[in-house]
């Protein structure tokens, strides 16, 4: 059973603070191992990749066979049943339609001082997506990472996906093809991140790396950050559901379990204004845990990190949610849009009883790569913007330089940066000749 | 003298690659020291801050006197001469006007499947700006960091600025006041970053930390990243100037020196299509170096990292610039806007001969916090967006769930996430009752 809290009880603040600060992940310290792997790939390139793949993935790669050939991809894609293919295509179409709307506008204007100002967005030239192998090899994540990159205009998009013991997930290859991925390499781990960041004979370096991975991948991403851009380092998944009593306890219980089944460190929290409803959901969770295929995992998550919180009212529930800043937030209330306006910190909000979070994992349209571990306080889910950067533009007319140049001279002088000031002074002098 | 390269010479590629890979910064390894400082501040709060400030800044802070009082700020601000005050106000006004235009729109729409989708932008609740003390204590940087935060709607904005030996830069306090900063603490170094990230008795924790700093500050920001958001870790400043022969060599020489005077690791590069003009600029630089107050620093930067490159034409110059991905790029050519469209990777572009880079440092309007060390390939300068985050919104109507729910069920099943699928199935069943 999870923890039950009630905001009217005297120890609520202590218990809620405990919930917020629960350490939900054991990150083994793999930094030294990862540093050695990166150095090895930088020094020996493909030879290191081949050796490390044999060691970690038990797979002998022939030199020059790190990438899947188009024919290999064809063959794997042909093996995907029609229902899966149609579902992936439907998902891709909806994800693309959503992310196209994120594309920002360029701007250029002339202001009253005569300065022409603006900015221009340009895509990253090359991006690499990491896709875990084995059990957590999710084709939906391929779509969610690759489509925003292609929408942004990334010219060269490659994937690294390990194939332990040579096992390939054909849905991953099909998702990559649907999303427009250009290259697919059968390498993984820190060695794949090193190859993407620094390049080898077979893998040209990229400018940005995104995608989830294990502790080795995460440590490698942290280490190459600066040399290339990276997305967030994702923690265990989370869901917070705010539900009034006018909901089906089964729906809510399944939504809570759909995060809990990801892994034992996931967190599922229900906040309700009705204690009886909270008990009903908790009872339904227990029933589901007995039959769910991943019940052992979900049960551990629910027991160790789950919570049912009874709040005085929905406003209090929203305020508590803001303190959690959840990755996923469901608002199962009569007017979910109105309640959503009281929320300031959440990765994604799912509005109303017909919007289970799982819709957002696959086919809703918005991205499922979202900030975890309270980082929704300061960061956003993956978007087309993550594959774009902005160059600012400024052009002074002679009039503009006359108008604002003197202020620059004063500030340069106050900062003791003489050449800064003189670069303005010399021009003003010439304008006054 | 800097290196002179000519793209028509056989060893150009080798020499250009050397220029690109030049290691321009010695980052001492201060990680262990910083880890200890952060642990100390977390454990002992204000007491640690007071002790560390006494040790590093030779300043005894009374308990409860870590923040400047409004009266102290008043007194310092009153000491600022009118010319500086007016210049700061002009700069602030122009920076604000530029950044207001960056504010993104919220969105909400209903698509053909009946799904209502969108996003909402919200500001970070609290942000902390680090401002170096001593020589590199730049009031312009206060404006450039604080104004975007306030434009974004950050409610609580605080500054940490060390005051070694008690020396205060009144322009920094005035810039903070003009920008609307709420709290100013006289603490610095890794201890200030720790206080901002974790909080102490006197300093409430923030959600995002920005601003430049020395190696200790940079290491501390890297270490608290994840607990809070951070901006980029800035390297030494850079300028690349593309200029044809129709320019005043003095202007260009001063622009190159205005970066070189920042520090000995700064880099200034001229690319021109006219060898004689390149020589004329280089000769003018030598003349300037003899008289500039910071000539020794600028001279070292120019000698060790400067370059004059003669290109076949301006298109080749633009392509070379993209390989550098410079922080600052000046286009001093007849049609700078047209040439700018051939540039894909640059932090900020300054168009035409009347736009010295120094205008952008102070009063142009665009931000002067820009990506260094080739990171313009994948990142942008500071903006209002850095203090905002986006929550995605999704609401399924019954019609929408019927339309797209089955695809979610298929994909959940293919990923062996049963509860994900059941959360959709249960709702579809109820809709069909």
């Amino acid at each position: 059973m999870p923890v039950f809290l009630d905001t009217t009880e005297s120890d609520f603040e202590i218990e809620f603070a405990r919930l917020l600060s629960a350490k939900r992940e054991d990150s083994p310290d793999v930094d030294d191992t990862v540093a050695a792997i990166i150095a090895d790939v930088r020094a020996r390139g493909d030879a290191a990749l081949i050796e490390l793949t044999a060691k970690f993935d038990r797979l002998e790669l022939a030199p020059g066979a790190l990438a899947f050939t188009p024919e290999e991809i064809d063959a794997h894609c042909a093996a995907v049943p029609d229902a899966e293919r149609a579902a992936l295509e439907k998902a891709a179409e909806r994800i693309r339609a959503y992310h196209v709307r994120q594309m920002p506008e360029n701007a250029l204007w002339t202001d009253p001082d005569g300065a022409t100002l603006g900015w221009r967005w340009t895509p990253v030239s090359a991006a690499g997506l990491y896709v875990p192998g084995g059990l957590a090899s999710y084709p939906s994540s391929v779509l969610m990472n690759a489509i925003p990159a292609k929408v942004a205009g990334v010219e060269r998009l490659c994937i690294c996906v390990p194939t332990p013991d040579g096992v390939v997930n054909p849905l991953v290859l099909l998702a990559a093809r649907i999303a427009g991925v250009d290259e697919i390499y059968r390498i993984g781990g820190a060695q794949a991140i090193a190859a993407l960041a620094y390049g080898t004979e077979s893998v040209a370096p990229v400018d940005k790396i995104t995608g989830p991975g294990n502790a080795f991948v995460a440590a490698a991403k942290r280490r190459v950050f600066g040399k290339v851009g990276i997305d967030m380092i994702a923690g265990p998944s989370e869901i917070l559901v705010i539900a009034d009593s006018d909901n089906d306890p089964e729906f809510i219980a399944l939504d809570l379990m759909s995060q809990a089944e990801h892994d034992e460190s996931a967190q599922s929290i229900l906040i309700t204004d009705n204690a009886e409803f909270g008990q009903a959901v908790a009872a339904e969770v227990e029933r589901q845990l007995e039959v769910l295929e991943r019940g052992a995992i979900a049960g551990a998550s629910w027991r160790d990190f789950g919570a049912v919180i009874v709040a005085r009212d929905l406003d209090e529930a929203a305020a508590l949610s803001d303190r959690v800043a959840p990755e996923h937030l469901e608002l199962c209330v009569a007017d979910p849009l109105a309640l959503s306006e009281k929320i300031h910190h959440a990765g994604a909000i799912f509005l109303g009883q017909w919007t289970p979070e799982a819709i957002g994992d696959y086919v809703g349209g918005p991205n499922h790569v979202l900030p975890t571990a309270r980082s929704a306080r300061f960061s956003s889910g993956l978007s087309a913007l993550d594959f774009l950067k902005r160059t600012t533009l400024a052009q002074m007319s002679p009039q503009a330089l006359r108008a604002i140049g003197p202020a620059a001279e004063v500030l340069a002088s106050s900062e003791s940066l003489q050449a800064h000031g003189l670069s303005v002074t010399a021009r003003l002098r010439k304008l006054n000749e």
Side-chain angles (χ1 to χ4, degrees), chain A:
Chain A
M1 294 294 279
V3 58
F4 280 76
L5 306 180
D6 187 317
T7 60
T8 60
E9 282 175 22
S10 61
D11 63 347
F12 174 76
E13 268 304 321
I14 292 165
E15 293 295 326
F16 187 68
R18 187 171 297 165
L19 190 69
L20 282 184
S21 62
K23 182 154 171 48
R24 286 172 33 226
E25 201 175 19
D26 244 356
S27 307
D29 187 1
V30 297
D31 228 33
D32 291 345
T33 311
V34 164
I37 290 173
I38 293 175
D40 192 17
V41 172
R42 287 185 71 174
R44 298 194 298 128
D46 281 358
L49 291 179
I50 289 170
E51 204 176 294
L52 291 162
T53 302
K55 180 176 169 189
F56 292 119
D57 297 337
R58 302 161 302 282
L59 179 69
E60 299 294 335
L61 290 175
L66 275 62
F68 284 90
T69 64
E71 295 71 29
E72 288 170 329
I73 299 173
D74 284 345
H76 284 293
C77 288
V80 175
D82 285 349
E84 272 87 348
R85 176 185 301 270
L88 280 177
E89 282 171 353
K90 180 71 179 168
E93 175 198 319
R94 291 188 54 84
I95 296 165
R96 193 174 293 118
Y98 184 89
H99 287 79
V100 162
R101 290 191 182 239
Q102 294 177 328
M103 288 298 286
E105 300 283 338
N106 296 333
L108 199 67
W109 68 90
T110 300
D111 72 15
D113 283 324
T116 299
L117 301 175
W119 61 73
R120 189 179 294 139
W121 292 90
T122 47
V124 164
S125 293
L129 312 181
Y130 189 84
V131 180
L135 263 185
S137 179
Y138 295 143
S140 58
S141 289
V142 174
L143 298 182
M144 291 290 182
N145 279 274
I147 290 173
K150 279 295 176 184
V151 164
V154 172
E155 215 166 283
R156 177 175 159 255
L157 181 58
C158 58
I159 280 186
C160 289
V161 55
T163 57
D165 301 306
V167 175
V168 174
N169 182 343
L171 282 164
V172 162
L173 299 194
L174 181 58
R177 173 157 288 181
I178 289 171
V181 170
D182 302 290
E183 304 159 15
I184 309 178
Y185 299 95
R186 43 189 134 213
I187 53 175
Q191 59 273 23
I193 302 299
L196 290 171
Y198 291 100
T200 69
E201 299 89 326
S202 294
V203 185
V206 303
D207 303 301
K208 176 114 188 186
I209 300 174
T210 71
N214 62 18
F216 291 87
V217 171
K221 281 169 69 181
R222 266 188 198 276
R223 201 166 263 275
V224 301
F225 171 55
K227 166 72 180 161
V228 299
I230 63 168
D231 61 344
M232 67 199 83
I233 307 284
S237 197
E238 311 151 2
I239 189 168
L240 191 152
V241 180
I242 298 180
D244 60 27
S245 60
D246 197 16
N247 277 282
D248 186 327
E250 188 194 8
F251 292 4
I252 306 300
L254 284 167
D255 296 351
L256 294 169
M257 289 308 99
S258 73
Q259 292 312 298
E261 75 175 344
H262 271 296
D263 71 79
E264 296 182 356
S265 303
Q267 183 167 55
S268 304
I269 298 174
L270 168 65
I271 307 182
T272 178
D273 56 355
N274 184 305
E276 259 176 74
F277 179 77
Q279 296 290 351
V281 171
E284 180 62 31
V285 165
E286 296 305 321
R287 273 191 290 278
Q288 296 290 346
L289 284 175
E290 282 173 27
V291 295
L292 281 176
E293 288 158 13
R294 297 170 67 92
I297 292 170
S301 156
W302 182 239
R303 179 192 68 225
D304 293 340
F305 303 112
V308 175
I309 301 175
V310 180
R312 291 177 182 83
D313 53 38
L314 295 178
D315 279 0
E316 187 179 51
L320 291 174
S321 174
D322 261 356
R323 290 173 64 187
V324 175
E327 181 190 15
H328 304 102
L329 173 61
E330 284 188 8
L331 301 180
C332 299
V333 299
D335 189 348
L337 198 60
L339 188 59
S340 79
E341 283 165 16
K342 297 180 178 161
I343 299 292
H344 303 91
H345 312 299
I349 302 182
F350 303 87
L351 301 153
Q353 66 163 328
W354 304 114
T355 317
E357 184 280 328
I359 282 288
D361 282 335
Y362 297 115
V363 295
N367 211 285
H368 79 195
V369 180
L370 293 165
T372 58
R374 307 192 58 224
S375 62
R377 293 175 297 123
F378 54 82
S379 62
S380 312
L382 198 70
S383 78
L385 291 178
D386 290 292
F387 298 96
L388 295 165
K389 61 266 181 340
R390 196 187 46 244
T391 299
T392 60
L393 303 171
Q395 176 160 26
M396 299 301 123
S397 63
Q399 170 213 340
L401 193 67
R402 283 199 188 96
I404 69 176
E409 290 176 291
V410 168
L411 293 173
S413 165
S414 78
E415 294 184 357
S416 302
L417 293 172
Q418 190 194 14
H420 282 65
L422 288 177
S423 72
V424 177
T425 306
R427 285 167 167 94
L428 288 176
R429 195 191 310 124
K430 187 151 178 178
L431 283 176
N432 291 331
E433 269 171 13

